[in-house]
Amino acid sequence: MPKIDLALEKNKDQNKILVSELQQKIAQIKLGGGKSKLEKIRSQGKLTARERVDYLLDNDSKSIEIGALAGYEMYKEEGGCPAAGVLVVMGHVAKKLCVIVANDASVKAGAWFPISAKKNLRAQEIALENRIPIIYLVDSAGVFLPRQDEIFPDKEHFGRIFRNNAQMSSEGIVQIAAVMGSCVAGGAYLPIMSDEAIIVDKTASIFLAGSYLVKAAIGEEIDNETLGGATTHSEISGITDYKAKDDSDALNRIKSLMEKIGDPPKAGFSQIKTCPPKKKMEDLYKIIPFDKTLPYNTYRIIDCLIDADSMEEYKADYGKTIITAYARISGWAVGIVANQRSIVKNKQGETQFGGVIYGDAADKSTRFIANCNQRKIPLVFLQDVTGFMVGSKAEHSGIIKDGAKMVNAMANSVVPKFTIIMGNSSGAGNYAMCGRAFDPRLIMAWPGSKMAVMGGEQAAKVLLQIEKSKLKKEDEKIDPKKEKELLKEIKSRYDKQTQAYYAAARLWTDAIIDPVETRKWISIGIDAANHAPVNKRFNMGLLQV
């Protein structure tokens, strides 16, 4: 019998527990405002938001949900806002890859919280940068008034959505809206600024002000159906283009419209027939340490993610704390930039710590990113990084200069970038390895991963020193017991803010995913990116060494 590695089996068990916890949280989120609210929607002859999206998507086609954890454990005073009260999915409708945005009326009648606006803007950003159609399934009571100051006036607030509507139309990106419930106040502009609008008879309405507000404002008495129902807007105002008898009829009309859209120009990324990885995807559970401080061999991770025998490593013997390699994922050519988490030796025989970016690794990555841009190869960043190397030797050898070149090359890259946070994502390492600030087309985290300026232990000690210094100025002292308690309190608070769920709730990542789903997310992401031709020249002058 083969010998069982207890450490690997322990990793497997603990990582599967993390995945199980993720699945349980997602299952709860999918209930939206609760079973009773969902049943109330069905009793009105309507489909729920998730039923609408499921109806639209092609059978047996792959899809991904963006921002399912948006709003997680936020807005507790208001009773929470599961999935930010809006469903965003990328998938195929009538064999056309598109983004679907569906208001969840079971969550505060589909009202918009600040995180709801951020999630809608993210959906539009995905459609805009990939030049794929976007479908809006509208059923919303408008802005959540108690938080209007956090959603109404600023650049990245509610109004930005209409600005994006206009820009996408001007660039020929198809937008189709179906009003399937309430569509009020400023929100009424979204479907009308789309290219085509459908309205469902009897259950949907569009108006800037409802009957009660009209009565209060100008004294006119009118019912909502006459004011802004399907017949009014299809026959009198001409605001909508199609009247549907029910939700299914509206969704069938969308499928019909999508089916007639012509094929877009392609970016031309290389794709061949896919083949499975050399190692089973499930082996990822064994390889990833539950304790994120422990080293592991990143090559084993890569073997579970890429098509078998497709890897061609670039500068394998140089800058070993980052792995750079050409490979294929689901047949798509990719350039992989991955933090090596095992301890390695450099060319001088010196020990280099895993997960740390040294000058030679940054230099190698800069050159590799330039190569991928020259050859039109999408980039995949596998992040498990604790930051750049520090200390006198690193500073004297120009680590800041080398790091700046890597960040510069990555930031100016015009090929699509995809980021997977496997473990740690700390400090400037987050930036160099294509964190959210550097526009990855998709950024996903694995369960148990962490994102922060520095580790919890180090940060807590720094914050404690600041607190002690403050008390010293006030001629006060902390006794050892109180100091220990304060350190524990600071670390606990800090650690919570570093967790993957904290980041996903605020859309710093697009999703927390089961590691075995990674290939699917990257494949769909590149498929979407292939709809947007690369038309900017990469400034090679920026990469001169």
Side-chain angles (χ1 to χ4, degrees):
M1 290 181 64
K3 187 178 179 180
I4 296 175
D5 189 320
L6 294 179
L8 294 181
E9 291 302 314
K10 185 178 180 181
N11 282 342
K12 178 181 176 182
D13 291 343
Q14 291 174 323
N15 282 310
K16 282 200 167 186
I17 288 171
L18 289 176
V19 170
S20 177
E21 290 173 351
L22 170 65
Q23 292 169 341
Q24 290 172 34
K25 286 179 171 66
I26 296 294
Q28 185 62 40
I29 286 167
K30 286 184 176 181
L31 294 176
K35 292 181 179 179
S36 62
K37 296 284 181 65
L38 296 175
E39 285 305 319
K40 183 179 179 181
I41 289 170
R42 295 185 184 107
S43 70
Q44 296 169 346
K46 298 161 63 176
L47 298 174
T48 67
R50 291 187 179 276
E51 288 169 348
R52 288 166 177 168
V53 172
D54 288 343
Y55 189 101
L56 262 186
L57 291 170
D58 293 346
N59 293 332
D60 301 321
S61 65
K62 292 181 179 179
S63 64
I64 54 176
E65 181 174 350
I66 309 293
L69 287 153
Y72 177 72
E73 291 191 338
M74 296 170 66
Y75 312 113
K76 291 182 179 179
E77 292 179 5
E78 293 89 351
C81 186
V86 61
L87 180 61
V88 175
V89 170
M90 191 193 303
H92 290 84
V93 176
K95 298 183 179 180
K96 301 292 192 304
L97 187 59
C98 62
V99 176
I100 305 170
V101 181
N103 298 117
D104 187 349
S106 75
V107 179
K108 298 289 190 296
W112 292 57
F113 283 70
I115 194 65
S116 311
K118 188 173 184 178
K119 188 170 176 179
N120 275 266
L121 289 171
R122 177 63 182 136
Q124 289 184 320
E125 180 183 40
I126 290 170
L128 187 59
E129 62 191 0
N130 293 300
R131 303 191 65 82
I132 58 177
I134 185 167
I135 298 167
Y136 307 101
L137 306 181
V138 184
D139 193 347
S140 171
V143 167
F144 186 70
L145 290 177
R147 290 188 177 265
Q148 65 85 27
D149 63 317
E150 300 174 57
I151 188 175
F152 170 65
D154 208 350
K155 181 179 178 181
E156 298 299 327
H157 284 180
F158 195 81
R160 189 79 170 183
I161 292 166
F162 312 134
R163 174 261 194 192
N164 289 349
N165 281 144
Q167 289 211 337
M168 282 193 281
S169 286
S170 73
E171 294 194 23
I173 298 168
V174 175
Q175 299 176 86
I176 299 172
V179 181
M180 311 179 83
S182 297
C183 183
V184 301
Y189 289 105
L190 185 146
I192 310 313
M193 292 189 73
S194 299
D195 303 309
E196 292 187 277
I198 302 163
I199 187 168
V200 179
D201 197 18
K202 306 304 180 189
T203 58
S205 55
I206 308 172
F207 36 66
L208 295 180
S211 56
Y212 293 134
L213 187 54
V214 168
K215 171 68 175 175
I218 64 174
E220 180 184 2
E221 293 194 14
I222 189 170
D223 64 87
N224 283 338
E225 184 64 27
T226 305
L227 180 66
T231 299
T232 295
H233 288 312
S234 296
E235 299 180 16
I236 301 173
S237 73
I239 282 176
T240 55
D241 304 303
Y242 310 96
K243 180 167 72 171
K245 61 183 180 181
D246 55 26
D247 281 10
S248 298
D249 188 30
L251 297 170
N252 286 334
R253 181 64 60 92
I254 292 173
K255 290 181 180 183
S256 178
L257 292 170
M258 288 290 293
E259 184 265 333
K260 296 172 179 64
I261 295 173
D263 290 333
K266 300 289 186 182
F269 302 128
S270 172
Q271 186 184 31
I272 61 175
K273 185 178 179 181
T274 185
C275 67
K278 182 186 298 183
K279 302 291 185 181
K280 293 185 294 185
M281 292 283 286
E282 289 76 14
D283 286 351
L284 289 169
Y285 299 134
K286 295 181 180 180
I287 302 166
I288 309 162
F290 181 75
D291 181 348
K292 301 308 175 190
T293 66
L294 294 177
Y296 60 89
N297 191 338
T298 304
Y299 286 102
R300 297 180 64 198
I301 296 278
I302 294 172
D303 282 342
C304 296
L305 296 178
I306 67 171
D307 295 4
D309 302 319
S310 66
M311 182 166 159
E312 189 68 44
E313 188 169 3
Y314 175 78
K315 290 184 179 288
D317 299 319
Y318 178 72
K320 293 182 180 180
T321 61
I322 288 184
I323 300 167
T324 50
Y326 305 105
R328 290 190 181 272
I329 294 177
S330 299
W332 291 105
V334 296
I336 292 174
V337 182
N339 299 115
Q340 171 59 293
R341 280 307 312 269
S342 65
I343 297 171
V344 299
K345 298 278 188 181
N346 67 9
K347 56 184 178 291
Q348 286 83 32
E350 299 167 330
T351 299
Q352 294 185 328
F353 300 103
V356 177
I357 302 176
Y358 289 76
D360 53 359
D363 173 70
K364 175 174 76 170
S365 300
T366 300
R367 296 170 184 273
F368 180 72
I369 290 167
N371 286 353
C372 287
N373 273 266
Q374 182 190 53
R375 299 166 194 181
K376 208 153 63 172
I377 300 173
L379 286 158
V380 175
F381 292 83
L382 301 179
Q383 266 200 32
D384 194 345
V385 58
T386 53
F388 284 87
M389 189 58 191
V390 297
S392 60
K393 184 174 181 179
E395 298 292 359
H396 295 171
S397 66
I399 186 66
I400 297 175
K401 171 178 59 105
D402 292 329
K405 287 178 182 177
M406 180 180 175
V407 171
N408 208 332
M410 185 271 302
N412 283 286
S413 173
V414 297
V415 294
K417 306 183 290 280
F418 301 89
T419 303
I420 311 296
I421 301 174
M422 305 184 298
N424 300 288
S425 180
S426 301
N430 169 279
Y431 302 154
M433 293 296 292
C434 197
R436 172 62 95 196
F438 292 87
D439 300 320
R441 294 294 175 96
L442 292 171
I443 177 169
M444 297 78 74
W446 287 351
S449 60
K450 296 178 182 293
M451 187 187 301
V453 171
M454 63 180 75
E457 193 72 41
Q458 301 96 309
K461 288 178 180 177
V462 171
L463 293 169
L464 179 63
Q465 289 301 318
I466 294 171
E467 186 67 24
K468 287 171 70 175
S469 177
K470 180 181 174 184
L471 290 171
K472 187 177 181 180
K473 289 179 182 178
E474 298 170 357
D475 293 324
E476 294 183 35
K477 291 184 178 180
I478 305 179
D479 66 69
K481 184 178 178 182
K482 187 177 179 182
E483 181 178 329
K484 190 174 181 180
E485 289 174 355
L486 187 56
L487 181 65
K488 184 178 179 181
E489 178 191 336
I490 293 171
K491 186 177 183 302
S492 176
R493 184 172 67 248
Y494 189 89
D495 282 346
K496 182 178 180 182
Q497 295 175 358
T498 69
Q499 291 176 2
Y501 289 102
Y502 191 91
R506 289 152 183 81
L507 285 174
W508 300 343
T509 59
D510 290 314
I512 302 175
I513 64 170
D514 184 339
V516 301
E517 295 283 294
T518 303
R519 276 170 59 90
K520 182 179 82 169
W521 276 74
I522 294 173
S523 176
I524 291 176
I526 299 177
D527 188 6
N530 200 38
H531 289 68
V534 177
N535 53 18
K536 288 189 286 184
R537 287 189 64 190
F538 190 52
N539 187 356
M540 297 301 293
L542 292 170
L543 305 179
Q544 292 175 358
V545 180

